[in-house]
Amino acid sequence: MVFTDYFGLDGSPANAYLLLLKALSLIPYWHYLICAAVVLIVFLYNFLEFHFLEDFFSGFRGSPVELTYNSCSQLYEGVVSKCRLLHGRYLATPWLSSPHIQTCFLNFFGRPPVFNYTRRLFGTSDGGTLALDWLLSSDVLDGAPHTDNAIPKDDSTPLVVVIPGLTSDSSSAYLKHLAFYTAKHGWNVVICNHRGLGGVAITSDCFYNAGWTEDVRVMIHYLHQEYPKAPLFLVGTSIGANILLKYLGEEGENIPVAGAVAVCCPYDLLIGDRFINRRLVQKFYDRALAIGLQGYAQLHQPRFSRLINWEAIEKSRSIRDFDNHATRIIGKYETVDTYYRRCSSAIYLESVSVPLLCINALDDPVCTREGIPWDECRANENVVLATVKHGGHLAFFEGITGSGLWWVRAASEFLSELHSSEYMHVQKKVCKPHTPLDSSIDQGPFVNVAEDGLVAALNDEQMENKQELQVLEMQDNHHESIPQEKTNEEDEPVTDTNSDKSSGVLETTTTTHEASALDVVISPIRKYIGQLSRQNRWSTWLLIYIAIATSWPLVGSMLRLVFRKKLRNAMPGGLLKR
């Protein structure tokens, strides 16, 4: 039997693959199930970026918090150095040891505390409506919500103003964690819901976006006027953090904010857009956020349909699609990349004058670590960047039960230390800082339409040249439109006083008839020469150089013949021959 198993009846070798299949069939099927389960576990472990084994072999000690700051930062020396959490370690909840699991668990479960807000509606100057949801420390400590007039004008209790993330409102789990924890420690909290969120209708044609800072500016001014003795602190999350940083950079010193915290800020929206389309797991987030934006648009469909193409919104399958068909059109941006570039907060970090703590997780599945502006944070003495190895997006669950968020405690500790220190920011009446310049396409809506129909953006130099040409044409047109001068009997020129009153800017000069006639001849020539010289500042010298270089052989030959003839006539013949 052994001989016939390995060789045929005629003595020839049997098919090796058939022999292999016969051998594999002898292995119990449950062994195959175990192997498939192991392969699946390894795949999911890497795909979902689990770090349970890493935590296990490190003894569940967690990873240290890395701080990035300026070496001369007084904020670090006087405030951050006293924060115990920022100098400790963060350990994620063991059964949530994955950034994706943490992020999904936060959005679907979150385990938020149970309480009720007190809502106030605020109307903006453009007709918009904002929902302000308040949670006072007395609401948490006493257990009963108060009326709208619960806070007196002269109240000095610190007030934390929260800016939610994309499509988030005050009912989001992470915002409830933040509001309850802050109010429990004796501070008042107000969450400024974005336009159209929090159950409030959109009452104007103005929508919020990742760079819309006007609502925050108006609300801060209003709260500062209402409660001038209460220190104002800002906390921004995700897109709200991007809006927060942009607002701080735009205002500079002239801002009534004592301190701020930015959590999971994307910083660079262009890099974030590239990142969220890179891997398969990121595309799930992209699609989920796009569905959230479509739901936001669905709530206000009549107004969206009137302003943009509704069918294009329904067909959007990513954040970029929605921004291309809706956000950039309503915000009047030329392209999606222009919108991302101009609304990114990284370029505004250098102008931040308020004590600022930035918190980010390096494994954030939505806001990549590639967009973190390390050098910009290190260059500004008012900024301290705290990064942890794990944490997900706005999650940072801690403890065995996962009932708390680490970043909530870290932000509260930082603001408490800042409030008890001498480093709180005090508003200074100064001019707004110089905002960074973007590329030429970001300087819209200035465009140049050529004769062939092509549209190109004008850069700063072209705009300056265009303005100079317009000023020159105005001067020439004014010169040509000067009324005919009147002369008296002594032939003294008399100018028309009405022209002086009408112009207000340009001065009318007194000239003779001969000068006026000469100007009529010279003015067109001077005009075109001026246009040529201003079109490109170095073009005149380039033309002179080209003219000399091309004509030099001919001119040199002519000069050589002329001077040679003169030398021949001036010198003796014998000397010339030598």
Side-chain angles (χ1 to χ4, degrees):
M1 293 182 62
V2 174
F3 180 81
T4 57
D5 286 340
Y6 290 94
F7 295 92
L9 296 176
D10 56 351
S12 61
N15 192 325
Y17 291 104
L18 293 176
L19 295 176
L20 181 61
L21 291 176
K22 288 182 178 181
L24 293 175
S25 63
L26 299 177
I27 301 176
Y29 72 92
W30 57 272
H31 288 189
Y32 291 104
L33 294 179
I34 293 177
C35 291
V38 170
V39 172
L40 180 62
I41 291 174
V42 172
F43 171 77
L44 291 177
Y45 188 90
N46 290 276
F47 183 76
L48 297 179
E49 302 178 51
F50 276 97
H51 48 85
F52 178 81
L53 293 179
E54 177 184 345
D55 296 339
F56 176 78
F57 288 115
S58 65
F60 293 102
R61 297 178 61 246
S63 57
V65 180
E66 300 291 339
L67 298 176
T68 303
Y69 56 91
N70 189 284
S71 59
C72 302
S73 174
Q74 296 182 355
L75 175 64
Y76 174 80
E77 297 296 335
V79 178
V80 178
S81 61
K82 301 178 182 179
C83 296
R84 180 181 57 85
L85 291 175
L86 296 179
H87 287 81
R89 307 172 74 91
Y90 166 69
L91 174 65
T93 301
W95 50 278
L96 294 174
S97 56
S98 164
H100 307 288
I101 300 298
Q102 282 210 56
T103 304
C104 293
F105 186 82
L106 175 66
N107 286 273
F108 291 103
F109 303 101
R111 296 183 177 180
V114 180
F115 60 87
N116 294 320
Y117 294 103
T118 300
R119 169 158 294 187
R120 303 182 193 174
L121 297 181
F122 180 84
T124 60
S125 58
D126 61 291
T129 303
L130 302 177
L132 305 182
D133 289 332
W134 291 77
L135 183 65
L136 308 183
S137 60
S138 56
D139 297 340
V140 176
L141 299 178
D142 299 343
H146 292 252
T147 61
D148 291 347
N149 299 324
I151 304 178
K153 286 279 188 178
D154 57 348
D155 189 15
S156 60
T157 304
L159 178 60
V160 177
V161 184
V162 183
I163 309 174
L166 186 68
T167 69
S168 297
D169 56 21
S170 57
S171 63
S172 300
Y174 68 92
L175 293 180
K176 282 195 168 185
H177 277 283
L178 174 63
F180 186 83
Y181 188 88
T182 305
K184 186 178 179 180
H185 286 74
W187 289 19
N188 298 326
V189 182
V190 55
I191 299 179
C192 298
N193 295 288
H194 297 296
R195 298 190 180 206
L197 292 173
V200 177
I202 294 180
T203 56
S204 69
D205 290 343
C206 185
F207 297 77
Y208 85 97
N209 57 48
W212 179 252
T213 59
E214 190 59 31
D215 288 344
V216 179
R217 184 176 292 105
V218 171
M219 290 312 309
I220 292 299
H221 177 74
Y222 162 74
L223 294 172
H224 180 62
Q225 294 295 324
E226 286 290 313
Y227 314 104
K229 295 185 179 181
L232 295 180
F233 297 93
L234 283 178
V235 177
T237 57
S238 192
I239 288 298
N242 188 80
I243 297 174
L244 165 64
L245 296 186
K246 188 171 180 287
Y247 164 67
L248 296 179
E250 290 174 346
E251 296 299 313
E253 293 280 356
N254 188 15
I255 182 174
V257 175
V261 178
V263 185
C264 294
C265 181
Y267 299 106
D268 194 315
L269 301 179
L270 199 58
I271 294 179
D273 173 65
R274 303 298 188 266
F275 169 76
I276 207 167
N277 289 283
R278 184 180 302 170
R279 298 175 56 204
L280 179 61
V281 65
Q282 265 71 45
K283 291 182 179 180
F284 285 113
Y285 293 101
D286 191 17
R287 182 70 184 117
L289 291 173
I291 293 175
L293 289 172
Q294 287 176 324
Y296 167 72
Q298 187 72 36
L299 293 174
H300 315 286
Q301 181 177 356
R303 195 169 292 272
F304 269 94
S305 301
R306 183 169 55 84
L307 299 174
I308 52 181
N309 183 6
W310 180 254
E311 294 182 358
I313 293 181
E314 291 182 327
K315 295 179 180 178
S316 298
R317 292 295 178 266
S318 64
I319 300 176
R320 186 179 181 87
D321 290 342
F322 184 89
D323 289 338
N324 183 42
H325 298 304
T327 308
R328 74 165 187 89
I329 296 176
I330 297 175
K332 296 180 175 59
Y333 295 99
E334 296 90 343
T335 64
V336 181
D337 286 351
T338 303
Y339 160 62
Y340 290 152
R341 193 177 296 111
R342 294 179 64 182
C343 292
S344 296
S345 60
I347 58 177
Y348 291 90
L349 269 175
E350 62 179 2
S351 303
V352 172
S353 301
V354 174
L356 172 66
L357 172 66
C358 299
I359 300 177
N360 286 88
L362 299 182
D363 64 350
D364 193 321
V366 178
C367 302
T368 174
R369 61 186 296 178
E370 300 170 11
I372 299 178
W374 305 91
D375 292 338
E376 287 82 349
C377 293
R378 191 178 292 109
N380 193 333
E381 297 181 3
N382 300 308
V383 179
V384 174
L385 171 65
T387 56
V388 294
K389 192 173 183 180
H390 307 294
H393 185 69
L394 296 174
F396 298 82
F397 283 100
E398 61 180 352
I400 298 297
T401 60
S403 58
L405 306 182
W406 176 86
W407 70 264
V408 170
R409 294 199 301 131
S412 179
E413 182 186 34
F414 169 78
L415 295 180
S416 298
E417 292 292 341
L418 179 61
H419 179 249
S420 60
S421 70
E422 59 181 6
Y423 298 102
M424 285 195 303
H425 176 263
V426 179
Q427 184 177 12
K428 299 177 182 178
K429 300 294 183 180
V430 295
C431 298
K432 290 185 179 181
H434 176 70
T435 56
L437 293 178
D438 300 326
S439 61
S440 60
I441 197 171
D442 295 336
Q443 304 304 316
F446 304 111
V447 294
N448 182 24
V449 182
E451 294 180 358
D452 55 359
L454 296 178
V455 179
L458 296 177
N459 56 27
D460 295 336
E461 183 178 355
Q462 291 173 327
M463 285 300 300
E464 182 181 355
N465 294 336
K466 185 175 182 180
Q467 293 174 357
E468 292 177 356
L469 292 177
Q470 291 176 350
V471 172
L472 182 62
E473 292 177 359
M474 290 176 60
Q475 292 176 349
D476 292 334
N477 293 336
H478 172 76
H479 194 80
E480 295 175 359
S481 63
I482 293 177
Q484 185 66 32
E485 295 177 342
K486 302 176 183 179
T487 57
N488 56 14
E489 295 179 356
E490 290 80 14
D491 293 335
E492 293 180 359
V494 179
T495 58
D496 190 354
T497 57
N498 294 332
S499 63
D500 293 339
K501 295 180 181 179
S502 62
S503 63
V505 177
L506 299 176
E507 297 180 356
T508 305
T509 58
T510 304
T511 57
T512 61
H513 292 292
E514 290 79 9
S516 298
L518 185 61
D519 274 346
V520 172
V521 178
I522 296 177
S523 179
I525 301 175
R526 184 175 57 191
K527 174 181 177 181
Y528 292 116
I529 291 177
Q531 291 178 354
L532 179 63
S533 62
R534 286 174 172 81
Q535 188 66 25
N536 286 307
R537 300 182 183 277
W538 46 269
S539 59
T540 303
W541 296 105
L542 180 61
L543 292 174
I544 294 174
Y545 172 77
I546 294 174
I548 294 175
T550 54
S551 62
W552 178 249
L554 180 60
V555 175
S557 301
M558 293 177 62
L559 293 175
R560 184 177 180 183
L561 291 175
V562 171
F563 285 105
R564 184 174 182 180
K565 185 180 294 184
K566 290 183 178 180
L567 290 174
R568 184 179 300 170
N569 296 332
M571 294 182 180
L575 182 61
L576 186 60
K577 290 180 180 179
R578 293 179 183 176

